[in-house]
Amino acid sequence: MSDAKVTVTGYVGTTPVLHLSAHDVPWTSFRVGSTRRLRDAATGEWRDGRTTWFTVKAFRGAARTICESITPGQPVVVTGRPSTEEWVDKEGRDRYALIIDADAVGPDATRGLTRFTKVTHDDPATERTPSGSATPPDPWDGGADAAEDRDGAHDPEDALDPAAEAAVA
C-alpha cells in the first residue's frame, strides 16, 4: 500500500520559524489557509467560502529553505502526506489540526512572479543563516557562467542549444 499524497494551494498564514529537534534535526511548521470560491446561484456573484487551515511541517534542508523563502500572505502550493493531530485543550475541549508533512513547498506562480535559486545546504559558501545574511549568486545575471553550477561544473539542462542561443543574441 502506498502513502496518500495531497496538494493544497492557499496563502501562508504564519511565519515559518526554524527549530532544532532534540536530535539536532532542523524543522519548521507554518499555517496555510485555503479558501474555496463559490458562485451564488441567485446573483451569479462569486464569494469566499469557508477557509480550511493546514499546518505544514518540513524537516532538514527543506526546513531551512522554507524559512528563507516563505512569508505570510504569499500564495503557495504544498504537496505532501496528510495526517491529523488531536489533543485536548486547557478547557477540556477536543481539538485537531490537519497536518501536511511536506514533500514540496513553493510559491504559486499563477498568482505572481517568482524566482528560483538553487541552494546546496552542505556548501558553506551558499548556506543561508536564518537571518538571511548570506546572499546566493543571482541566477538571472545572464553572465558567461549562467550555465554552470556553483562548483563550476557545466549543467547541460541550464544551457541553451546553439539555435536558441543564436536567436537570443
Side-chain angles (χ1 to χ4, degrees):
M1 180 180 216
S2 63
D3 283 342
K5 299 284 183 170
V6 296
T7 299
V8 172
T9 60
Y11 289 85
V12 177
T14 59
T15 301
V17 177
L18 189 63
H19 304 278
L20 285 177
S21 73
H23 300 289
D24 292 329
V25 175
W27 67 277
T28 191
S29 68
F30 63 97
R31 305 270 288 158
V32 171
S34 183
T35 304
R36 185 174 179 188
R37 298 283 292 162
L38 303 168
R39 189 166 188 233
D40 186 317
T43 66
E45 293 182 18
W46 289 93
R47 63 179 174 80
D48 286 343
R50 187 172 160 187
T51 299
T52 302
W53 288 95
F54 300 88
T55 298
V56 179
K57 294 185 176 185
F59 301 88
R60 297 176 182 75
R64 295 177 189 168
T65 306
I66 287 168
C67 285
E68 288 293 320
S69 304
I70 303 299
T71 59
Q74 187 177 30
V76 292
V77 179
V78 177
T79 300
R81 289 183 306 282
S83 66
T84 59
E85 288 182 357
E86 300 170 8
W87 70 96
V88 177
D89 69 12
K90 294 176 186 176
E91 288 79 35
R93 294 179 295 198
D94 290 335
R95 306 288 297 199
Y96 74 94
L98 300 172
I99 308 296
I100 300 174
D101 185 3
D103 293 327
V105 175
D108 185 347
T110 66
R111 299 176 190 223
L113 297 176
T114 183
R115 288 187 174 186
F116 177 79
T117 302
K118 184 178 176 181
V119 175
T120 305
H121 290 287
D122 56 272
D123 181 356
T126 61
E127 182 72 26
R128 293 195 226 177
T129 63
S131 65
S133 60
T135 305
D138 184 358
W140 300 93
D141 69 1
D145 61 348
E148 291 184 4
D149 286 336
R150 287 186 178 85
D151 62 2
H154 187 271
D155 187 352
E157 290 183 12
D158 292 339
L160 294 174
D161 67 38
E165 198 165 344
V168 172

